[in-house]
């Protein structure tokens, strides 16, 4: 467990994504998806230290706040408004270089300047949650971040969600 803290912040992001991939599967071994979401968020935060990062879960047609690190955040997000909703409805990662330029962006923290949201899918490809990361710098995320985070999430998605939860759709 102590090894999980050993991220070298002077190494390029790609190397830290590699490290995350190696550590994630072993760390997320609990049968409880919330426990695993909590440790996933903490681990990614240790690797990158972004302004805010966390999960929103699809529950009864809304996105409901899950485990996160950073300032307090909006507890519920709704369809068709904001970056998280866009990733949910498009079922793909959404990179926003400047949140002020994204129509409908939902402001949870005034310090967030750029954002990346990645869908968490079940075995049928349905979006069951999204993983949202916010940076206090404009243009902090690229398609490489989107691809690497998506790969990381896809690799452990079955440990981050329950396959069958009433009301998830
Ligand atoms: N900005 C997000 C809302 C969530 S917070 O950033 C934590 C959005 O537009 O969906």
């Amino acid at each position: 467990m102590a090894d999980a803290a050993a991220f070298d912040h002077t190494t390029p992001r790609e190397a830290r994504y590699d490290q995350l991939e190696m550590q994630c599967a072993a760390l997320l071994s609990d049968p409880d998806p919330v426990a695993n979401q909590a440790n996933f968020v903490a681990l990614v935060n240790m690797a990158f230290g972004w302004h805010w990062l966390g999960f929103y879960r699809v529950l009864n047609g809304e996105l409901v706040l899950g485990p996160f690190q950073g300032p307090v955040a909006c507890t519920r997000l709704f369809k068709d408004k904001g970056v998280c909703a866009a990733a949910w409805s498009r079922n793909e990662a959404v990179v926003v270089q400047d949140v002020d330029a994204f129509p409908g962006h939902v402001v949870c923290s005034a310090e967030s300047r750029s954002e990346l949201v990645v869908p968490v899918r079940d075995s049928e490809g349905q979006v069951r949650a999204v993983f949202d990361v916010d940076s206090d710098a404009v243009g902090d995320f690229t398609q490489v971040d989107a691809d690497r985070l998506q790969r990381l999430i896809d690799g452990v998605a079955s440990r981050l969600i329950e396959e069958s939860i009433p009301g998830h759709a």
Side-chain angles (χ1 to χ4, degrees):
M1 186 70 74
D3 284 346
F7 286 99
D8 178 355
H9 283 228
T10 65
T11 61
R13 279 191 187 179
E14 292 243 28
R16 281 177 273 161
Y17 283 118
D18 290 342
Q19 223 181 318
L20 276 173
E21 271 179 16
M22 287 188 291
Q23 295 183 347
C24 247
L27 184 67
L28 308 185
S29 55
D30 198 272
D32 186 303
V34 175
N36 290 331
Q37 286 181 17
N39 260 345
F40 182 87
V41 174
L43 188 67
V44 176
N45 192 40
M46 290 162 84
F48 296 112
W50 286 316
H51 174 65
W52 192 93
L53 59 170
F55 287 94
Y56 281 92
R57 298 153 303 131
V58 178
L59 288 171
N60 298 315
E62 297 175 358
L63 291 172
V64 184
L65 184 63
F68 70 95
Q69 304 230 337
V72 294
C74 313
T75 52
R76 283 172 195 266
L77 303 169
F78 305 101
K79 267 196 169 138
D80 304 323
K81 188 170 185 339
V83 188
C84 292
W88 174 23
S89 62
R90 293 180 202 167
N91 194 348
E92 66 181 20
V94 176
V95 180
V96 176
Q97 301 291 344
D98 179 352
V99 295
D100 291 336
F102 188 93
H105 169 253
V106 179
V107 180
C108 291
S109 163
E111 288 172 55
S112 293
R113 305 262 41 102
S114 57
E115 185 162 0
L116 165 59
V117 185
V118 175
V120 186
R121 307 174 179 115
D122 63 18
S123 57
E124 293 177 349
Q126 299 248 32
V127 179
R128 301 288 301 282
V130 296
F131 181 60
D132 178 18
V133 299
D134 289 23
S135 168
D136 57 8
V138 171
D140 204 8
F141 303 112
T142 66
Q143 192 56 42
V144 172
D145 292 297
D147 293 345
R148 294 303 306 259
L149 265 189
Q150 186 72 72
R151 196 165 99 188
L152 192 64
I153 288 274
D154 287 349
V156 291
S158 64
R159 299 177 187 190
L160 297 172
I161 54 171
E162 278 173 28
E163 271 299 318
S164 177
I165 305 176
H168 83 263

